[in-house]
Amino acid sequence: MARETYKDFDATELYCPRCKRAVRVRKRLLIILPQGEKYDYSCEHCGTTVGDKLVTMKDSARIVLR
Ligand SMILES: [Zn+2]
């Protein structure tokens, strides 16, 4: 699994390893954790998860990417 850091993860297009090109993604709330809300980004075409992000509640401006 690719571990890249995206500065702006709310971009409408991300690279999909399955489609082998930049694709439009769907953002959805995956789970609410004690440390914040985790969002999942999946490819609009094949549904492959292309990334996720954790938005902390303490400081919503700080986005931690894994
Ligand atoms: Zn895809």
Side-chain angles (χ1 to χ4, degrees), residues 9-10 27 37-39 41 52-55 63-65:
F9 219 158
D10 282 327
K27 178 187 177 184
E37 296 176 339
K38 190 174 184 182
Y39 288 88
Y41 290 82
D52 59 55
K53 80 171 176 183
L54 185 68
V55 180
I63 297 171
V64 179
L65 298 170

Side-chain angles (χ1 to χ4, degrees), residues 6-45:
Y6 298 94
K7 282 186 178 177
D8 182 5
F9 219 158
D10 282 327
T12 54
E13 290 194 346
L14 288 174
Y15 180 77
C16 175
R18 197 162 169 181
C19 298
K20 292 182 167 45
R21 64 187 175 90
V23 295
R24 292 183 62 85
V25 293
R26 287 201 194 97
K27 178 187 177 184
R28 74 191 163 98
L29 181 61
L30 198 65
I31 190 170
I32 297 175
L33 301 166
Q35 64 268 37
E37 296 176 339
K38 190 174 184 182
Y39 288 88
D40 175 87
Y41 290 82
S42 58
C43 173
E44 201 172 59
H45 304 284

